[in-house]
Amino acid sequence: MPKLIIPDLFLLLLLPFFSTNNVQATTSPADISALKAFKASIKPSSILPWSCLASWNFNTDPCAFPRRTHFTCGLTCSADSTRITQLVLDPAGYSGTLTPLISRLSHLTTLDLSDNSFYGAIPPSISSLFNLQTLTLRSNSFSGAVPASITALKSLQSLDISHNSLTGLLPNSMNSLSNLRRLDLSFNKLSGSLTKLPPNLLELALKHNSLSGSLSKSSFDGLSQLEVVELSENAFTGTLQGWFFLLPSLQQVDLANNSLTRIEVWKPADSGSNLVAVDLGFNRIEGYLPVNFASHPLLSSLSLRYNRLRGTIPMEYSKTKFLKRLFLDGNFLIGKPPTGLFTGGTSVSGSLGDNCLQGCPASSQLCAPSQKPNAICKQAYGGKGKPRS
């Protein structure tokens, strides 16, 4: 019996040595060639010694373990160590282009190159990453159009290419991204109108572009799960129609700094409304303050500052339970503001200043800055404006 035990024990002691130092290559050759091309398209001078890419030494298999000196970060492999499933770079200032051969990483579920200095076009071949669920290219210098082929990524759930230099129109077939939940193309140079949006979006962010035209119901048709809309700092025009605020899951709206001229606000149905925050400041909205904003029971923040609104502040605004922030400054509102905004233990913050109001308590921060000069108010109302008291 001892003669059998000693050799077996000896082999067991040697097993760790062989498993860590003589690992056979397991990663798919297609994946390895794609990784080599990916690294080769990045300027060597931007690969710092402590960065993830500096550890990518192809004398070692990318998916081999343990990763003590090579491929220490940036990659995740499949359970069987044969395919690359995630490529997440550190924000080390890498500078280069995104190689079209990235398409060979066909099992990739996450591609994140955010907060670096990639430039050039996003290769159309990215459409071959049919397993991709998260694509994050935020805060780089990518230019050119959003490739239409990106809409072929049917598994995509999150798309973030914000803070780049993309130009041109949004792809017409964006609505074919049926699994997309989050879309952020903010801080680019995109133009044209809003296309029909993906049907299962939760968050839409396209702020700080050059998008124009009116907001059409057809673009938002069927978006029953949409919660957040951030479209500020564009060039949208026309009327924001009543259907918009009745999108069933809508919570936050930011359309500030556009060129909207009118808004319609309908009362929500008996099922209620989830609307919490609305920012329509710095547009060109004319007419009267929509009283039906007060019918949205959860609304806590409302900004219509610096528009061209006239008339009085609806009494209903002072009776809503949750309204805590109210910015109506920079309009041509007249009359006496509802006393309920200043009394009854309410804690409404914001501003009613720079209007034509009468009797706005100087002791209240809500009334700062001061009201417009009487001459300007009279001119705005065709010489019929009443002097402020």
Side-chain angles (χ1 to χ4, degrees):
M1 289 295 292
K3 291 182 180 180
L4 293 175
I5 292 173
I6 292 173
D8 286 348
L9 182 60
F10 181 71
L11 289 174
L12 286 172
L13 291 172
L14 285 179
L15 186 58
F17 175 82
F18 285 106
S19 64
T20 58
N21 292 279
N22 293 281
V23 176
Q24 296 297 314
T26 58
T27 307
S28 161
D31 285 16
I32 292 176
S33 66
L35 293 176
K36 287 180 177 179
F38 178 83
K39 184 175 181 179
S41 65
I42 296 173
K43 294 178 180 179
S45 59
S46 70
I47 302 177
L48 302 178
W50 47 263
S51 66
C52 284
L53 279 183
S55 73
W56 287 21
N57 184 329
F58 292 96
N59 292 325
T60 303
D61 184 79
C63 289
F65 279 95
R67 295 178 181 172
R68 290 175 181 152
T69 56
H70 303 317
F71 296 99
T72 56
C73 56
L75 299 177
T76 301
C77 297
S78 57
D80 61 359
S81 297
T82 61
R83 306 305 301 261
I84 306 297
T85 58
Q86 296 186 35
L87 198 170
V88 180
L89 283 191
D90 48 334
Y94 302 117
S95 177
T97 59
L98 179 56
T99 174
L101 296 181
I102 194 76
S103 61
R104 293 183 179 177
L105 298 175
S106 58
H107 283 238
L108 211 60
T109 62
T110 299
L111 176 59
D112 186 345
L113 310 180
S114 57
D115 300 295
N116 281 290
S117 298
F118 285 89
Y119 57 86
I122 299 170
S125 63
I126 204 168
S127 61
S128 297
L129 302 177
F130 51 84
N131 287 305
L132 201 63
Q133 297 175 16
T134 301
L135 176 57
T136 306
L137 305 178
R138 179 185 64 248
S139 298
N140 281 283
S141 297
F142 286 108
S143 58
V146 178
S149 62
I150 212 167
T151 61
L153 299 174
K154 305 303 183 186
S155 298
L156 201 62
Q157 298 175 18
S158 176
L159 174 60
D160 186 348
I161 321 180
S162 62
H163 296 271
N164 279 279
S165 298
L166 300 177
T167 55
L169 309 178
L170 292 170
N172 282 328
S173 52
M174 290 293 290
N175 62 310
S176 66
L177 294 170
S178 56
N179 285 305
L180 196 67
R181 308 293 275 171
R182 182 175 180 270
L183 172 62
D184 193 346
L185 299 175
S186 302
F187 293 94
N188 280 287
K189 302 173 184 177
L190 300 171
S191 57
S193 58
L194 202 58
T195 59
K196 187 170 176 55
L197 296 166
N200 291 305
L201 271 186
L202 293 177
E203 300 179 19
L204 170 67
L206 292 167
K207 58 188 175 184
H208 199 88
N209 280 285
S210 297
L211 299 171
S212 59
S214 60
L215 294 181
S216 167
K217 187 176 182 180
S218 61
S219 296
F220 293 84
D221 194 33
L223 269 67
S224 60
Q225 302 174 70
L226 186 63
E227 297 177 353
V228 178
V229 175
E230 295 185 351
L231 298 175
S232 62
E233 299 178 69
N234 280 286
F236 291 113
T237 56
T239 299
L240 185 59
Q241 297 177 336
W243 57 264
F244 181 81
F245 292 108
L246 296 186
L247 289 169
S249 299
L250 194 61
Q251 297 178 18
Q252 300 176 43
V253 175
D254 187 355
L255 274 160
N257 294 95
N258 279 283
S259 296
L260 299 171
T261 52
R262 290 197 174 273
I263 53 171
E264 298 173 354
V265 182
W266 298 341
K267 279 188 176 183
D270 293 338
S271 57
S273 163
N274 294 309
L275 197 62
V276 173
V278 175
D279 190 347
L280 290 165
F282 299 95
N283 277 275
R284 300 175 184 178
I285 299 170
E286 299 177 343
Y288 300 99
L289 282 172
V291 66
N292 283 334
F293 270 132
S295 299
H296 291 263
L298 302 180
L299 188 64
S300 64
S301 178
L302 175 62
S303 175
L304 285 158
R305 62 194 321 200
Y306 291 92
N307 280 285
R308 300 172 183 178
L309 295 165
R310 301 154 67 90
T312 60
I313 300 174
M315 189 66 65
E316 289 82 354
Y317 281 24
S318 67
K319 296 179 180 180
T320 60
K321 185 184 300 185
F322 291 99
L323 190 61
K324 300 299 180 187
R325 299 177 74 249
L326 180 63
F327 287 90
L328 302 177
D329 47 317
N331 285 285
F332 296 91
L333 302 174
I334 59 172
K336 189 175 182 179
T339 56
L341 294 175
F342 311 99
T343 61
T346 58
S347 56
V348 177
S349 63
S351 177
L352 307 178
D354 198 16
N355 277 291
C356 300
L357 296 170
Q358 298 171 331
C360 201
S363 59
S364 172
Q365 289 186 341
L366 266 179
C367 295
S370 59
Q371 301 299 305
K372 284 181 169 66
N374 195 39
I376 292 178
C377 294
K378 281 187 175 182
Q379 185 179 8
Y381 284 87
K384 299 178 182 180
K386 295 180 180 180
R388 299 191 313 276
S389 57

